[in-house]
Amino acid sequence: MASECKSIQMILVESAGMPTQLTATQRRHLTTCDGCAEVQERELLLAGLFTAATPKDDPVLQQRIIGSLPRRRLTTKLISLLPVVGSGLVGAAGAVLVGDLPGSSLLSLVPGVAGSGWSAVWHTFTDWGIVLLTSAQAVGGQLPTSTTILAGITTGIGGLALVALVNNLRSRVLWCRDS
Amino acid sequence: MSEPEHLFSDEALVSLSLEGDQEAFTCLVRRYQRRLTGFLSQLVGDLELARELTQEAFLRAWTALERYDPHYRFSTWLFRIAHNLGIDQLRRRKLTTVSLYRTDNNGEGMELDLRDDGKDPFGHLENKELGEGLRRAIEELRPEYRELVLLRHFAALSYQEIAELKEMPLGTVKNKLFRAHSVLRKGLEPFLVRCEP
């Protein structure tokens, strides 16, 4: 088969016989080549056969499918946000507890919450908060302020980066499993 | 979701579904059910089984939606799930594609094995001879061509989507489908006749 004929016939097979993807030169060729014209005619008819052979929409099946879907659980999504929230709280706690930092004055602007009141909340709710509070105060008293700020920011950014990396790797691994 | 569903891309519907909009996933079901059932019915040779597998494929897609990677087309992901389900089913039941035609011990005589219309993938066709002709023509294809034909004509995937799904170069898909069509045109010649007015 001439290479020009094969190129045209490959396009006709892909387009189900429709000449829309042919160039003007290729369309002229169709009018002069019986072989290609026959392929076009047959591909049009073949496409019709396949269309007729494909089952139609099945509304009953669609309803059955929709009715069988379990409710999407939101708890999974909330749990996945915990590391991000936790990292943010660690960074915020560091800024608040060290003392004369912009963070503490910002937090004190939160309606009804003052720096000491925030510390009381931590004490009340988690032992972890107590340990962190004590440690942060001790560290804050020993290290330069700039170092403490840098540590707090690094903790926050590191936590966010870790969450993003884990999510990225998780989706890639499970995508491969689906295949 | 108040706008007409055809305005939403698959990826947009997936995002909405993940936010809890089940109506968005319903749109995806309506969009792909016919193609999934058509593809699976040809793959497993049983329409009723194909319906069950279609339901299972959508259920798996729904529960695994968080794992869908938008770098890939949703159609590719969905049909990959369906394809794996179909292949698993074939392996489990050790089904083989059974020819419609039987011959006697002398190799002569043809006996038509008329299948239950409810299970026959071509049972909905009024022209039974056409159904038989299509089934025979598809069965006679080489397995690698047959699968591509099913993906192209019953799953209605584009060449690019098929290449992604099969992890095959686009040029290879084009060449194989070109050869498959050459065989199909010969095998279906009696049916490829334009009716004269």
Side-chain angles (χ1 to χ4, degrees):
Chain A
M1 182 190 304
S3 62
E4 187 184 14
C5 286
K6 186 175 177 187
S7 303
I8 291 171
Q9 289 177 23
M10 284 189 78
I11 293 172
L12 288 171
V13 165
E14 186 174 356
S15 64
M18 301 299 289
T20 43
Q21 293 177 34
L22 296 176
T23 63
T25 307
Q26 289 171 331
R27 287 188 208 199
R28 271 196 298 278
H29 175 90
L30 264 188
T31 62
T32 59
C33 177
D34 289 343
C36 290
E38 186 181 347
V39 167
Q40 184 192 22
E41 174 87 0
R42 301 242 165 148
E43 284 298 321
L44 282 167
L45 292 168
L46 188 59
L49 290 188
F50 279 120
T51 301
T54 305
K56 303 290 178 276
D57 278 326
D58 189 339
V60 172
L61 175 59
Q62 289 171 12
Q63 279 308 310
R64 199 169 87 201
I65 291 166
I66 293 158
S68 71
L69 299 177
R71 283 193 167 277
R72 180 165 298 286
R73 289 182 302 166
L74 292 179
T75 49
T76 311
K77 205 168 180 179
L78 288 174
I79 288 169
S80 72
L81 289 175
L82 278 180
V84 177
V85 173
S87 300
L89 287 176
V90 167
V96 166
L97 297 169
V98 168
D100 298 328
L101 295 175
S104 62
S105 62
L106 281 172
L107 281 173
S108 70
L109 290 175
V110 175
V113 177
S116 58
W118 189 246
S119 301
V121 168
W122 277 110
H123 277 293
T124 303
F125 281 98
T126 61
D127 289 341
W128 169 78
I130 293 170
V131 170
L132 185 65
L133 171 67
T134 310
S135 304
Q137 285 179 328
V139 168
Q142 298 296 321
L143 291 178
T145 306
S146 57
T147 305
T148 313
I149 294 172
L150 189 61
I153 293 170
T154 305
T155 302
I157 293 173
L160 290 171
L162 188 61
V163 168
L165 180 65
V166 168
N167 275 334
N168 196 18
L169 286 174
R170 181 169 167 269
S171 65
R172 281 178 193 272
V173 168
L174 292 169
W175 165 250
C176 290
R177 268 174 46 191
D178 279 335
S179 62
Chain B
M1 205 178 76
S2 53
E3 286 85 5
E5 60 187 63
H6 67 271
L7 294 179
F8 291 87
S9 67
D10 289 349
E11 288 68 32
L13 289 172
V14 169
S15 290
L16 289 169
S17 300
L18 285 169
E19 289 168 16
D21 186 347
Q22 190 158 343
E23 179 60 28
F25 195 81
T26 301
C27 294
L28 289 168
V29 171
R30 283 198 285 266
R31 193 173 282 185
Y32 283 104
Q33 174 270 312
R34 182 177 62 85
R35 291 161 60 180
L36 267 181
T37 307
F39 169 67
L40 284 165
S41 68
Q42 293 300 320
L43 189 63
V44 301
D46 184 324
L47 183 57
E48 194 46 49
L49 178 58
R51 290 195 182 107
E52 291 173 20
L53 293 175
T54 301
Q55 182 172 348
E56 180 64 26
F58 277 114
L59 183 60
R60 290 199 183 186
W62 171 251
T63 52
L65 214 52
E66 283 97 354
R67 300 202 295 261
Y68 164 63
D69 184 350
H71 289 114
Y72 298 89
R73 288 168 221 260
F74 177 77
S75 57
T76 310
W77 185 66
L78 183 64
F79 276 95
R80 184 168 288 168
I81 294 173
H83 178 262
N84 290 344
L85 274 172
I87 296 298
D88 286 347
Q89 190 67 33
L90 286 173
R91 284 186 191 138
R92 202 176 305 132
R93 295 190 178 201
K94 293 185 172 46
L95 285 174
T96 54
T97 51
V98 177
S99 176
L100 183 66
Y101 289 82
R102 294 195 190 128
T103 57
D104 62 18
N105 291 337
N106 296 325
E108 293 171 358
M110 306 293 271
E111 180 185 333
L112 296 180
D113 179 16
L114 296 174
R115 300 182 183 198
D116 175 7
D117 275 3
K119 292 189 166 197
D120 182 1
F122 294 119
H124 61 285
L125 287 175
E126 287 187 13
N127 185 340
K128 299 300 175 194
E129 281 185 21
L130 172 59
E132 289 151 20
L134 269 169
R135 185 183 302 112
R136 188 173 62 237
I138 292 171
E139 282 177 3
E140 286 176 2
L141 287 171
R142 285 162 59 174
E144 56 189 296
Y145 292 172
R146 188 185 314 138
E147 192 172 15
L148 295 184
V149 166
L150 297 191
L151 289 169
R152 177 68 177 150
H153 294 292
F154 292 95
L157 296 182
S158 68
Y159 278 33
Q160 185 63 48
E161 286 168 322
I162 294 171
E164 262 182 33
L165 183 99
K166 297 298 295 173
E167 293 173 352
M168 201 182 265
L170 182 60
T172 305
V173 173
K174 288 186 179 187
N175 274 318
K176 290 194 175 191
L177 277 169
F178 176 73
R179 284 187 227 126
H181 272 235
S182 299
V183 175
L184 284 172
R185 285 196 302 270
K186 288 195 183 82
L188 290 167
E189 198 169 332
F191 303 101
L192 297 177
V193 175
R194 189 178 289 281
C195 297
E196 298 296 329

